[in-house]
Amino acid sequence: MGDEKDRQDDSVFTQLSEAIATNPDDPSAHFNLGLYLWDRIGEESKQKAAEHFVIAAKLNPQDANAFRYLGHYYSKVSTDTQRALKCYQRALALSPQDSESGESMCDLLDKEGKESLEVAVCREASGKSPRAFWAFRRLGFLQVHQKKWSEAVQSLQQAIRGYPTSADLWEALGLAYQRLSMFTAAIKSYGRAIELEESRVFSLIESGYVFMMIGSHRKGVEMFQQALQISPENLAAHYGLGCALLELSKECISSGAFRWGASILEEASKVAKAGTYLGKNVSCMWKLHGDIQISYAKCLPWMDENPTLETDKKALSASIMSWKNSCFSAALGAKHSYQQSLHLAPWQANIYTDIAITIDVINSFKDAEKHEIIQGELPEKMIIGGLLLESCNNEFWVALGCLSHHVEMKQHAFIRSLQLDVSLAVAWAYLGKLYRKQGEKSLAQQAFDRARSIDPSLALPWAGMSADMSIRSLKPDEAYDCCLRAVQILPLPEFQMGLAKLSILSGQLSSSEVFGPIRQALHHAPQYPEAHNLLGLVCEARGDHLSAITSFRLARCAVNISSGDSQKLLDISINLARTFCKAGKAYEAVQECEELKKKGVLDYEGLHIYALSSWKLGKNDQALSVVRILAARVKSLEPNLASLSISFICRLLYYISGRESVITSILKMPKSLFESSKVSFVVSAIHILDQSNQLEAVVSSSRSSLLTHDEITGMHFLITLSKLVKNSSEDCLGIQNGIYHLRKTLHKYPNSYMLRNFLGYLLISSNERKDTHLSTRCFTVRCATSACPEDEGFKRSPEILGASVVACYTTGSLKHKYSFPACKDQSPYQHGSLKLLQKWYHQEPWNKNARYLLILNYMQKAREERYPQHIHTGLERLTRLALSDESRHYERFQLLICASELNLQSGNVIGCINHATNASNISVSDAYLFFAHLLLCRAYAAEDNRPRLREEYARCLNLKTDYHISLIGLKYIECWYGLAEANDNIIELKFEECSKDVKYSWNVWMAILKLVQGLIAVWNRDFVGAEELFAQACSLNGYESCLFLCHGAVCMELARQQCNSDYLLLATGSLKKAKDTCGAPLPILQLLLAQAEASLGYKDQWERYLQLEWSTWSPEMRPAEIFLQMQLLLGPLDDSMHSASRTKHYQKNPLRWILQAIHLNPSCSRYWKALQNL
């Protein structure tokens, strides 16, 4: 093989030599021979090759390749750098894209340290050719090295066009973007480098840092973890991962996830510890480990997961001690790490501050009596050490003021920091705290105000403002808002417990804004009994009595562990007994009260609980004995407490002994005891149930104590209840009397939310048809659902409004696109019930009542708009969701009826029948079941199943109903499908029977019955009978425009059939009455009236009514007939000047009118005839 190769080489050499001999002036021949010799091994061959390259360059001075190889010879063989540079320079001048020459020349310049010449060469080459990508690449790297980031970005972008798969270029470009703070572009560039080469550790680490800069710490953690998988001993990756985990834990802590944050810090501590092993002499790694450990010590929560803690004092003490030890050991570890960092970098002043703060944290976990004087002064000395290095650092002075135990030193440190920076808000805040502690309230207030005005995001000034509520004359709500702001900024346990205390005064105890913070306070201060007690009060206010009992028991154990304060134990025991009573554990409540009684510390509140719990256990004698003890102490109590006790005694006596006994006791009491609003309410409530009015004088005299607006309106609420009860019959409350009183009262107190709600509720409950129309007017003042109080026993505003809209269909028909209002009682203002219900359901998605009313209101809207697809789909989804939950029988019945109606409207008759059948099997009254069977009638009629239709029709007749509308619907079905037998008027008799129970609206419902009978007569072409029925309906109810409209229309038809002008006069009279009684213009009414007047020869009246009819309709809803009438009004095209002026007024000629009419109704022959007559 070797001999054969040698023969081939000799053959090639011979051929090349012969080519030169044949043509010695051929530069390519010399270059090819030189190239052949250059590839051979040996210095002699390369010298001969260089001779031929020189000859080729002389023969062809424009050949860049010859100069390139000459450059290689001088740089690598003869080591003549200057000649090599000149050859490379000549090659680049001839071909700037020659990357081999350019790179070789730049390498030579780099060896000689001539960086500026290297940059110049690259700039020259890139300037001559935009495709000299090697020059852009080299220049970009050089500019990155020189930290010329903006220029580097441009060069690297150009270089990437030539080398799109170069990971080095993408990595350098990412670094340049990062230094220019173009973080999104940097992430994309680093990501591209990692895609091209997954082992790019530098790109992974720098991507992690960029993600941390933009706040995406979770992505940063992923980047650093990938870097460590590739390079497990990379110190920068360990440091970056530790920093990212630390920041991620801070996110969790700020959101309240302390346990999660602590677990992340545990992982971060392991990473940082591994980093300290790799870089034992790296100060920043030790400092990072210290930061992680001190954060862990501060955020580690105490968990009360052991159920035995509430009863076992030792177990609770051991649990708290274990938590303290964990925090203490973490703080000690932080101290050790900071000390090691300081040993490696003693010039870092901030480490002194870190050590001082850590020592202070360590001292906080020690018992107060174990504090050593030297240990207590050590933080102060460490801060001073930092100040020796940076005496003008105002933050160090503030830290000295916070950690010092000497008042004079504290004040001096804060004032010194303010001398360095007078706008340092934190110094003003801590100075205010110091002044407040020293009793200088005025100076403290000024300092807090200055701190808050400089930086409103500081928590301490807001907390100080809430603490000084008495000095600043703040209302409890204002103080609560200030403290809430402080808690939101800095969730310290002290602030959180203060927020809970203020919530008691402001009535916000059940708010989630209080529950979350007090839970957090307990996690970080379990040794404080106040935290457990306040959490119990919050849980009690939220109705979570079992959790409240647990918290109160833990509070009692915490008191026994710490101080054993008897007053705190008494308060906690009272709270525990009260919660037992509320939770239905009356026996435990009695035991707690008996324990307090044995100790002789049972106060008035304990007596209340004792008596109430005894009554709940059925021990009435014991309860009465406790009541006697309480009554004997009433005179010694404060007026407010005395009124509470009297109210309690009266209520308990009523439950134990009955109404007559409590009335007798009240009459025996001194009248001075009733001079309280609380007592007045209780006595008035008992008076409501007394038909003999024995307490009339007591109630009248006690009402003089009502002073505030809420008390007065609350008393009117009770007076209304009295009207309902005292004016009731055997089976019906005196609702009309209550409505009358509320209407009169609302003239004095029109903004009373409670009275408006109550009036709306009574109007809905009334049997009178007109009242349902008026119920929505109680809600003209719209308020958000969050502003609607949810008191026990009261209906909320959205609930009553939603029910009002369902009770009266016309209250929802406000869009004239779908219907025209004919009800004179209808409110002209839109009440926005759907939006209010949607907002309510959005805020309380668990509220089944909100969802139920939303479904019913949407059914009204769907019915009005003819069931559009988007509403139909949404209703089906909501109804399906509601039916999947458990609900009361009546609500489930209504939901099934809605689902059945939706199926019927969509053509799913089987689904309609199934839902209606399920509804008919629910145990509700016959009046409701009637609607289920009526819906089944409609379903069977839709599928033309006459036998089943007759069965359901017969079942409807056998059911007793009090609802007129159900009988009307059945009457229509009877008429349409011929279900009635000869001379069968069962439905009419049932209708008259259920109308007897309605006192005020009997004539209205009878008029509607005549209207239905008249419409049926019209369908049967019996216009004479229809006219008589409509006339009877008009005589029964002379205020309903629809009745007069029907009567006028049928009279017009009779006049047309019989050519009798008497009917025209009747029609004109009825139509005019319909126009006068209608609240809003009715369509067709003016058109019929115009035709009647025209038939009687009154042309002016005809024109006037036509114009009114034209303005009644919206442009997109005008019917074809009105266009024909307008054409007749304008007259023929060659009419007089008067007709021309009309044409100009309406901007159309008669031809356009008739064409429009034909376009709308092309099947009408009258319109075509009119067109022919033009």
Side-chain angles (χ1 to χ4, degrees), residues 201-202 205 227-228 230-240 275 278 285:
V201 177
F202 180 82
I205 293 174
L228 283 175
I230 298 170
S231 179
E233 296 184 357
N234 190 298
L235 189 62
H238 278 87
Y239 183 81
L278 294 172
M285 184 60 74

Side-chain angles (χ1 to χ4, degrees), residues 579-606:
T579 311
F580 273 135
C581 187
K582 289 183 178 180
K585 298 184 177 183
Y587 180 75
E588 288 83 352
V590 169
Q591 284 184 325
E592 286 291 332
C593 293
E594 287 177 349
E595 286 293 328
L596 294 174
K597 185 178 179 181
K598 290 178 183 178
K599 297 176 183 179
V601 292
L602 192 62
D603 60 0
Y604 81 97
E605 186 178 359

Side-chain angles (χ1 to χ4, degrees), residues 1091-1109:
Q1091 291 177 346
E1093 294 287 359
S1095 299
L1096 292 173
Y1098 301 111
K1099 187 175 182 181
D1100 293 338
Q1101 295 294 328
W1102 170 63
E1103 180 179 350
R1104 184 170 70 88
Y1105 286 126
L1106 271 182
Q1107 292 173 353
L1108 288 174
E1109 182 69 22

Side-chain angles (χ1 to χ4, degrees), residues 90-101:
R90 179 62 179 167
L92 287 176
L94 295 173
S95 177
Q97 303 175 19
D98 188 356
S99 60
E100 189 175 349
S101 299

Side-chain angles (χ1 to χ4, degrees), residues 312-332:
D312 191 347
K313 182 174 70 174
K314 292 182 179 180
L316 177 62
S317 178
S319 175
I320 294 175
M321 188 57 63
S322 174
W323 167 76
K324 279 188 175 182
N325 290 336
S326 299
C327 297
F328 182 76
S329 61
L332 281 178

Side-chain angles (χ1 to χ4, degrees), residues 125-236:
S126 61
K128 288 182 179 180
S129 174
R131 298 188 62 81
F133 299 115
W134 70 268
F136 287 108
R137 179 178 62 184
R138 191 87 182 199
L139 181 60
F141 289 148
L142 288 169
Q143 288 167 340
V144 167
H145 176 68
Q146 296 172 353
K147 298 182 180 180
K148 297 179 180 179
W149 308 114
S150 299
E151 298 176 7
V153 166
Q154 298 177 4
S155 300
L156 292 170
Q157 286 176 339
Q158 190 69 22
I160 284 174
R161 296 180 182 177
Y163 308 99
T165 60
S166 174
D168 292 330
L169 283 174
W170 284 105
E171 190 173 77
L173 181 60
L175 180 61
Y177 278 134
Q178 181 180 352
R179 295 298 185 267
L180 290 173
S181 299
M182 301 171 67
F183 298 126
T184 303
I187 288 173
K188 292 181 179 179
S189 298
Y190 284 136
R192 181 58 178 156
I194 295 168
E195 287 178 8
L196 295 170
E197 192 174 329
E198 293 182 355
S199 61
R200 285 278 164 176
V201 177
F202 180 82
S203 295
L204 288 168
I205 293 174
E206 293 302 318
S207 294
Y209 284 121
V210 173
F211 277 120
M212 286 180 61
M213 290 178 187
I214 63 176
S216 183
H217 303 116
R218 195 177 299 278
K219 291 290 293 182
V221 169
E222 294 176 3
M223 294 292 107
F224 290 124
Q225 287 175 342
Q226 291 181 30
L228 283 175
Q229 288 177 357
I230 298 170
S231 179
E233 296 184 357
N234 190 298
L235 189 62

Side-chain angles (χ1 to χ4, degrees), residues 758-800:
F758 194 27
L759 178 58
Y761 182 73
L762 291 181
L763 288 171
I764 298 173
S765 305
S766 173
N767 289 331
E768 298 306 315
R769 178 174 173 270
K770 63 176 182 178
D771 291 340
T772 55
H773 291 281
L774 302 175
S775 58
T776 55
R777 298 189 184 184
C778 299
F779 309 97
T780 54
V781 181
R782 299 174 190 154
C783 57
T785 54
S786 58
C788 303
E790 191 175 2
D791 297 327
E792 185 177 357
F794 288 90
K795 297 291 185 181
R796 300 174 69 180
S797 178
E799 191 172 358
I800 299 176

Side-chain angles (χ1 to χ4, degrees), residues 699-714:
V699 169
S700 300
S701 61
S702 66
R703 287 176 183 169
S704 60
S705 60
L706 304 177
L707 300 175
T708 65
H709 177 272
D710 291 339
E711 290 175 348
I712 295 172
T713 53

